[in-house]
Amino acid sequence: MEPVIAIVGRPNVGKSTLFNRIVGRRQAIVNDTAGVTRDRHYANADWRGQKLILIDTGGIAVGDVKSIQSFIKKQTMAAITEADVIVCVFDGREGPTTLDEHIIELVRKANKPVIYAINKSDQMQKSTTDTYLAPFYELGIPSKANIFPVSSEHGRGVDDILDAVLANIPKEEKITEDAGLSAVTRIAVIGRPNAGKSTLINRLAGTERVIAHEMAGTTRDCIDVHISYGDRKYVFVDTAGLKKKG
């Protein structure tokens, strides 16, 4: 089936903006507030005739085992396990952080091809590329790694990222959780916050596909979950909780 590309990184580095740019439409919610994306968000894409499956993930952050950050990290690790190629995104304006170093260790342990995207590099000049990227090499990124300055918002450098992805796709491709399922029926699961919509979908899917947490408002994006039952195929859409206007 189509190769799977997971986009990972810490909160608010522009993962969803890059995801939307590659997909070609505003499919994932983008906001200046960190932590908007939480669940794994899938979409189909195409580059130079090669079909791809993209996974947008929530930002990896520090939190105790019961915190929402722990659930987001679990979803991200599931995406890394499923991926054929990983795109690790950093904030070029803010520079490298200790959390970035932790994320590099996580993706390195996956033993898969990794493309490093230094996002928000709008003001960088080609003549200063080496100086600009030097602090990120200090995080432990190999000197010969695929590392590119990009601007997801304006599309600059995104083609370099996608070319690197194509060059690193394994020859043997695999069937993934959401790949290869042609939906016959789409079913939207709606309700007020904290009513158990995500828990219901996880039960139907037989896996922790979306985050179910006691905190109201956990789900924010509309998340498609492919489920087969007998010889029928469905797409259940997990939605954010509906509330009355104030």
Side-chain angles (χ1 to χ4, degrees):
M1 304 306 298
E2 291 88 351
V4 177
I5 316 302
I7 302 175
V8 305
R10 60 183 174 85
N12 214 27
V13 295
K15 299 182 297 301
S16 293
T17 303
L18 178 60
F19 177 85
N20 288 340
R21 172 66 63 176
I22 296 173
V23 172
R25 59 186 181 277
R26 190 182 175 91
Q27 182 157 330
I29 295 175
V30 175
N31 193 282
D32 291 336
T33 304
V36 171
T37 303
R38 291 174 171 174
D39 296 288
R40 283 175 284 159
H41 198 161
Y42 291 75
N44 294 314
D46 183 286
W47 181 247
R48 301 192 190 280
Q50 171 66 61
K51 295 186 181 299
L52 306 169
I53 297 175
L54 296 182
I55 312 178
D56 187 22
T57 64
I60 298 176
V62 178
D64 62 56
V65 294
K66 293 184 179 180
S67 68
I68 190 66
Q69 286 82 10
S70 176
F71 285 83
I72 293 171
K73 182 177 179 180
K74 187 175 180 179
Q75 289 286 317
T76 301
M77 295 308 297
I80 289 173
T81 299
E82 188 178 353
D84 296 295
V85 180
I86 302 166
V87 176
C88 193
V89 184
F90 304 98
D91 188 329
R93 295 176 189 167
E94 189 173 337
T97 68
T98 302
L99 186 53
D100 287 326
E101 187 174 359
H102 171 65
I103 293 169
I104 287 176
E105 289 298 321
L106 290 178
V107 299
R108 183 179 292 136
K109 290 178 181 177
N111 196 29
K112 295 181 178 181
V114 183
I115 313 300
Y116 299 94
I118 313 304
N119 196 27
K120 306 181 184 179
S121 302
D122 311 70
Q123 304 302 320
M124 193 212 72
Q125 303 298 321
K126 286 188 176 180
S127 59
T128 61
T129 300
D130 292 339
T131 302
Y132 183 80
L133 297 179
F136 293 94
Y137 284 118
E138 294 174 4
L139 290 173
I141 297 176
S143 59
K144 295 184 180 180
N146 290 301
I147 180 169
F148 303 95
V150 301
S151 171
S152 299
E153 186 175 357
H154 299 102
R156 176 182 176 182
V158 175
D159 53 346
D160 294 328
I161 293 290
L162 291 171
D163 285 342
V165 165
L166 294 190
N168 283 275
I169 292 174
K171 293 182 180 179
E172 294 185 3
E173 298 165 357
K174 56 184 175 55
I175 297 176
T176 64
E177 172 189 343
D178 281 30
L181 294 179
S182 177
V184 175
T185 306
R186 290 181 63 88
I187 301 169
V189 180
I190 66 172
R192 60 182 176 80
N194 216 24
K197 301 182 296 298
S198 297
T199 302
L200 173 61
I201 287 180
N202 285 341
R203 175 66 67 179
L204 294 171
T207 184
E208 193 173 335
R209 173 61 182 81
V210 290
I211 295 175
H213 194 271
E214 60 186 11
M215 181 180 66
T218 299
T219 302
R220 292 176 175 176
D221 283 292
C222 288
I223 305 297
D224 289 356
V225 180
H226 295 263
I227 298 174
S228 293
Y229 184 76
D231 59 352
R232 297 293 301 275
K233 298 173 182 178
Y234 304 89
V235 175
F236 281 79
V237 185
D238 194 15
T239 62
L242 296 169
K243 295 190 293 185
K244 289 183 178 181
K245 291 184 178 180

